[in-house]
Amino acid sequence: MTLAQKTGGAWETERRLTAISRTGLSTPARQAVVDQQITPERSVLDYGCGRGDDVHALRQMEIEASGWDPHFNPDGNLGPADVVLLTYVLNIIEDPGERRRTLMRAWELAGKALVVSARLTWEKAKVKGDEFGDGVLTSRRTFQHLFGANELRSYVEEATGVRCVSAAPGIVYAFKRDEARLSYLARRIAPDTTWLVSDDAASAIAAVVDHTEQRGRIPRVEEMPTQMAELLAHLSASELQRLVRSSADPEKVAEGAKRSTLTTLLFLGVELFNGRGPFGCLPLSVQLDVRAFFSSYKEACRRSDRLLLKLRDDAYVRGAMNGSKVGKVTPTALYVHRRAIDAMPVVLRLYEHCASVAAGRPLEWTIAKLRHQGRGVSWLDYPEFDADPHPRLRSSYLVDLTTLKTSHLSYEESTNRPLLHRKHEFLHSDDPDVPKYRRLTESELRAGLYANPHLIGTEEGWEAELVRCGRTLRGHRLIRRR
């Protein structure tokens, strides 16, 4: 198979030149590992593997990985695998028909999941060349078709015929079985409960008590780690329940039940947004939560549907923002630090999750911005939030939920970046850093640094106000300027 494909009789594309060398996993492969789509128990095929760096890195992790590429590895194993990676391949194929056939071939080879990634439209400024077909032909005779984040998900859904999930901007998962998709969504919304370490029956019972207080219900044997289930095998179900009920704190159990109820509603709301399946397709833990905290699956779905409908109500969303125990409310939006995101009201958590499923939550972000009108979520990246008293904005990624369009802004080359003030307002009041941040804000207020709020939102304006007030910063302390 030749890589120099004739297109229109006038141009040739050099796909091999788009293959780059890496020292570690590519971003899509790393995301798939983090999301437990790639595990040591699963085989992996990198379809269009380029120079094979992902295959090499996965093998170092003791994962059964193989690769095939028409130029760099045409003799590679092109057989079925549990997980197939199609990494930055679709965007370099200039023929739309071949592009779709490539996607379909990768889907046929996938036993459990297909991971598709492509370059996105926000990278247009980096791709120099002439318009050609539905993309750009560069001076090196390479082709690039840039996808919108939602366009990529829709394209994969249409080709495969299954519901897909955006794992991150430009990374889409397609699952062979709906149970696998729902399990992935459940882990995103409610990560698996951490079990206490157990090495004897007494510590195993203590771990079950802890789990009961966290979840609000006694776990089933099938949910327990294998070793723990073996340690408790001598107890009947009724004996274990009696021991747990006599030891668990009723208030903690009640609080856990409330938390699990809201989390279940959140999951079912996101599930409806992404495509709801039958009760039997739900992960076991979600099924058990539904049975424990609702009269029926129908009732749970009805309540979650009402919750999703409330996202359309501006007054309700604004009321939820004003009532939130975490975050900074402005006339247009709520800003919440990622450490406090789970403390938002459940309708706002649903709001943020729907945006992330539609177009992907970025890998690096610090603060989520939820608009109360127009329905849009932005993830803002302040990489020095904890170290810098007034962290600078590096990038912003917006998903408009009314149109599902996305946009990305980078401030890395800017000489006058936006910055943050009053850091404590973005966090939960229980956060250990809040007292330090609040003390800084109070000292800046006393010094008159917030007298001109329209000036202090950027680096240059803030520095000018520091000079005007005769102050400078040493860490999170405000001192007089010499």
Side-chain angles (χ1 to χ4, degrees):
M1 184 183 297
T2 176
L3 282 188
Q5 298 284 335
K6 289 282 187 179
T7 53
W11 298 90
E12 292 181 343
T13 65
E14 296 287 352
R15 299 178 188 173
R16 61 185 176 82
L17 297 181
T18 63
I20 62 174
S21 296
R22 300 185 181 90
T23 56
L25 287 174
S26 65
T27 298
R30 185 170 65 249
Q31 184 71 41
V33 170
V34 170
D35 289 338
Q36 301 176 40
Q37 298 309 305
I38 293 179
T39 66
E41 294 76 30
R42 292 182 170 186
S43 59
V44 178
L45 168 65
D46 191 349
Y47 187 52
C49 62
R51 300 178 187 276
D53 295 323
D54 274 344
V55 174
H56 178 67
L58 289 171
R59 286 175 177 172
Q60 287 186 320
M61 298 167 62
E62 299 185 354
I63 290 171
E64 180 190 342
S66 59
W68 178 87
D69 189 271
H71 178 81
F72 293 98
N73 191 18
D75 298 324
N77 177 26
L78 193 55
D82 292 328
V83 180
V84 173
L85 293 173
L86 192 64
T87 304
Y88 305 117
V89 171
L90 298 181
N91 47 279
I92 68 171
I93 300 175
E94 66 282 351
D95 177 15
E98 183 189 353
R99 190 184 302 153
R100 181 184 172 86
R101 289 193 297 274
T102 300
L103 174 59
M104 291 304 300
R105 179 56 176 154
W107 177 241
E108 290 169 2
L109 292 169
K112 297 182 183 296
L114 173 65
V115 179
V116 181
S117 64
R119 297 182 70 181
L120 299 179
T121 50
W122 74 52
E123 298 182 75
K124 188 175 182 180
K126 299 178 182 178
V127 181
K128 306 295 183 183
D130 300 316
E131 289 188 14
F132 181 73
D134 59 0
V136 174
L137 193 68
T138 72
S139 59
R140 302 171 68 213
R141 296 186 181 277
T142 63
F143 176 83
Q144 290 289 340
H145 170 78
L146 304 180
F147 287 83
N150 183 61
E151 176 198 358
L152 178 63
R153 182 174 64 91
S154 298
Y155 181 72
V156 179
E157 284 187 339
E158 191 274 331
T160 61
V162 300
R163 291 274 186 175
C164 298
V165 179
S166 294
I171 304 174
V172 171
Y173 295 158
F175 301 94
K176 287 287 182 168
R177 292 175 59 82
D178 216 31
E179 292 92 334
R181 176 181 65 88
L182 296 175
S183 292
Y184 168 70
L185 285 176
R187 285 195 302 271
R188 280 182 64 156
I189 293 164
D192 294 336
T193 303
T194 301
W195 289 87
L196 298 179
V197 177
S198 305
D199 50 19
D200 56 30
S203 59
I205 293 172
V208 174
V209 170
D210 177 74
H211 185 282
T212 302
E213 291 175 344
Q214 290 186 54
R215 197 95 188 195
R217 62 171 175 79
I218 297 175
R220 287 262 293 269
V221 173
E222 302 94 304
E223 298 178 272
M224 300 178 190
T226 303
Q227 181 184 2
M228 182 178 298
E230 292 173 352
L231 290 170
L232 298 174
H234 65 287
L235 294 173
S236 67
S238 59
E239 287 176 320
L240 180 60
Q241 289 178 9
R242 179 179 56 78
L243 289 170
V244 172
R245 288 197 179 104
S246 64
S247 302
D249 184 332
E251 291 185 5
K252 290 183 178 179
V253 173
E255 186 62 31
K258 179 181 177 182
R259 187 164 52 245
S260 293
T261 300
L262 294 176
T263 300
T264 304
L265 290 174
L266 175 60
F267 169 77
L268 294 175
V270 173
E271 184 199 10
L272 177 62
F273 181 81
N274 187 247
R276 180 167 289 163
F279 183 73
C281 287
L282 301 181
L284 175 62
S285 60
V286 178
Q287 292 186 35
L288 295 175
D289 284 343
V290 169
R291 288 172 175 160
F293 307 122
F294 301 90
S295 61
S296 65
Y297 182 45
K298 183 177 180 179
E299 187 237 340
C301 290
R302 187 164 52 244
R303 287 178 59 181
S304 71
D305 295 350
R306 288 201 300 267
L307 188 66
L308 192 62
L309 284 173
K310 287 176 180 176
L311 284 181
R312 301 180 182 179
D313 187 337
D314 284 349
Y316 188 88
V317 170
R318 181 66 177 179
M321 291 181 176
N322 287 329
S324 176
K325 295 179 180 179
V326 296
K328 178 177 182 178
V329 182
T330 72
T332 59
L334 174 71
Y335 296 75
V336 183
H337 193 280
R338 67 184 302 165
R339 294 203 295 264
I341 202 83
D342 289 339
M344 291 192 304
V346 67
V347 69
L348 301 183
R349 293 171 62 197
L350 177 60
Y351 184 175
E352 193 266 347
H353 272 291
C354 287
S356 74
V357 168
R361 186 189 289 123
L363 302 180
E364 297 179 348
W365 64 281
T366 313
I367 289 174
K369 172 187 175 183
L370 283 66
R371 295 200 310 232
H372 74 78
Q373 288 183 325
R375 297 303 171 273
V377 176
S378 297
W379 291 276
L380 313 175
D381 184 23
Y382 294 90
E384 301 297 324
F385 183 90
D386 292 319
D388 191 335
H390 296 282
R392 277 65 173 167
L393 179 61
R394 179 166 68 180
S395 64
S396 169
Y397 175 62
L398 166 68
V399 177
D400 187 324
L401 277 172
T402 58
T403 63
L404 295 182
K405 291 183 178 180
T406 63
S407 61
H408 179 271
L409 293 174
S410 174
Y411 296 87
E412 289 192 281
E413 303 300 323
S414 174
T415 58
N416 188 28
R417 292 168 293 176
L419 48 75
L420 281 183
H421 301 278
R422 307 173 187 264
K423 289 198 301 183
H424 66 280
E425 295 182 354
F426 302 98
L427 294 162
H428 194 287
S429 58
D430 291 340
D431 192 287
D433 288 327
V434 161
K436 177 173 65 175
Y437 299 161
R438 183 182 286 115
R439 284 194 298 270
L440 174 61
T441 298
E442 291 169 351
S443 62
E444 289 173 340
L445 278 167
R446 289 193 298 270
L449 283 163
Y450 296 167
N452 301 303
H454 60 290
L455 298 177
I456 63 175
T458 59
E459 291 177 291
E460 292 177 0
W462 176 241
E463 182 59 30
E465 287 299 281
L466 283 170
V467 172
R468 180 184 68 82
C469 294
R471 298 292 193 275
T472 190
L473 286 160
R474 183 177 296 164
H476 284 77
R477 290 176 53 234
L478 187 67
I479 62 176
R480 292 191 178 275
R481 182 184 297 265
R482 292 187 178 182

